[in-house]
Amino acid sequence: MRGVDHIAALAVEALLVEVAATPKPGLVDRANNGAHDDMDFFTFQASAAALAPYFAEFARAGAGHEHLDTLLAQLRPIGCRAEAAMYARTGGVNTHKGAVFSFGVLLGAAGWLMAHGGRLTADAVLDAARTICTGLCRADYGALAKDAVPATKGQAAYLAYGLTGVRGEAEAGFPLVRAYALPLYRARRAAHTPLNDALVDVLLVLMAHNMDTNILGRHDLAMLHRVQGDAARILTLGGMGTAAGRAAVEAFDAQLIAAWVSPGGSADLVAVTHFLYEMEQSDMLRSM
Ligand SMILES: CC(C)(COP(=O)(O)OP(=O)(O)OC[C@H]1O[C@@H](n2cnc3c(N)ncnc32)[C@H](O)[C@@H]1O)[C@@H](O)C(=O)NCCC(=O)NCCS
Ligand SMILES: Nc1ncnc2c1ncn2[C@@H]1O[C@H](COP(=O)(O)OP(=O)(O)OP(=O)(O)O)[C@@H](O)[C@H]1O
């Protein structure tokens, strides 16, 4: 199905566009490797390309499945193979683990909607993602004993703070994307803000609100709250739209690199935001 390939391509584009946006505090971008010493801009490009066939598989699995509430069981094995392909291509570096999960669910949702005659609006895809992930946190975390040794940083964040990370975001239908990131991105794009600057501003609004388990993997709640406050403050300076805001973003990047902080979960949600925006735009063009 041609449409399915089209949305899979938009998801790959979203990964490429996200990593290119510069400056991104603490993250890999065109200027530096952020708070990472095992990956760079080119690692992300190779990883995104390696994921392309699996993104198409996610969308096809959604299109070929009858019921949304049993789709996750079809998507997860594809996610495992995608993760393996990512690690094979990057030499064992985690570039896109969270993104594989988020895009797996969203592409499954979009594929299902296409096959069932639904419109590809952001709201429809996010609602479908929520249905796909109903019960996920209980299933993945419910059986975890309080004194269990965490196998992943996600489990560690749940055991220490009760935070549900990317699983919780997906199960709630990506509320930060819906409430904060998409409205800001739509406004910036409508105002013809340079794409790069629109993406960086969206990153800041996500960082201001996200309980990013990627930050907690290396640091504590106090650090996460400090980062949230700093991101919010830079937005009040005007973000990338003012000289003061731009200077503050550059300084924030240096600060997060020095403190070795990486807001990787928010980076994934920037890619999700671009994907949903472009998907909605192409759906509108198709229906005109
Ligand atoms: C749910 C997945 C993504 C990861 O679980 P894990 O416990 O390792 O999560 P962890 O907290 O380490 O986060 C993974 C990534 O999510 C992203 N992330 C973190 N916080 C957030 C957030 N609040 N919002 C969005 N994304 C986030 C980051 O990019 C992070 O690197 C997935 O890999 C998974 O299901 N793992 C369990 C084993 C499994 O079934 N694997 C499937 C592939 S084999
Ligand atoms: N542009 C980006 N720059 C850096 N990280 C990003 C970017 N986009 C997304 N990320 C996310 O950051 C995550 C990697 O973070 P990190 O290196 O802290 O994880 P890790 O390999 O699990 O742990 P660690 O390196 O602390 O041992 C990736 O999974 C990815 O989702």
Side-chain angles (χ1 to χ4, degrees), residues 18-20 24 26-29 33-39 44 86-87 92-99 153 214 217-218 260 262-268:
E18 178 273 308
V19 72
K24 287 197 304 293
L27 294 164
V28 174
D29 59 25
N33 298 347
H36 295 273
D37 54 17
D38 55 356
M39 48 174 134
F44 273 86
M86 172 193 83
Y87 284 121
V93 175
N94 166 19
T95 37
H96 286 125
K97 183 163 85 161
K153 289 178 175 179
N214 221 67
R218 298 186 193 173
W260 211 240
S262 170
S266 294
D268 293 346

Side-chain angles (χ1 to χ4, degrees), residues 61-201:
H65 198 72
E66 191 59 33
H67 298 291
L68 270 185
D69 56 0
T70 51
L71 181 53
L72 190 60
Q74 309 288 314
L75 299 173
R76 277 193 127 167
I78 303 170
C80 288
R81 286 189 284 111
E83 240 183 54
M86 172 193 83
Y87 284 121
R89 187 68 188 94
T90 62
V93 175
N94 166 19
T95 37
H96 286 125
K97 183 163 85 161
V100 165
F101 179 77
S102 295
F103 278 102
V105 170
L106 292 166
L107 287 165
W112 186 89
L113 280 167
M114 290 181 109
H116 289 80
R119 289 284 305 276
L120 288 185
T121 62
D123 277 341
V125 171
L126 292 172
D127 286 346
R130 193 166 49 191
T131 305
I132 290 171
C133 293
T134 301
L136 171 65
C137 289
R138 178 130 53 109
D140 276 17
Y141 290 133
L144 211 57
K146 286 245 170 307
D147 58 354
V149 178
T152 65
K153 289 178 175 179
Q155 288 188 0
Y158 180 76
L159 290 170
Y161 307 109
L163 293 174
T164 51
V166 66
R167 294 175 178 83
E169 276 303 303
E171 184 166 359
F174 296 93
L176 302 183
V177 171
R178 204 193 294 244
Y180 299 108
L182 264 173
L184 181 66
Y185 199 51
R186 287 190 187 112
R188 293 286 193 268
R189 296 290 299 268
H192 302 291
T193 302
L195 183 61
N196 181 77
D197 296 359
L199 291 159
V200 174
D201 282 351

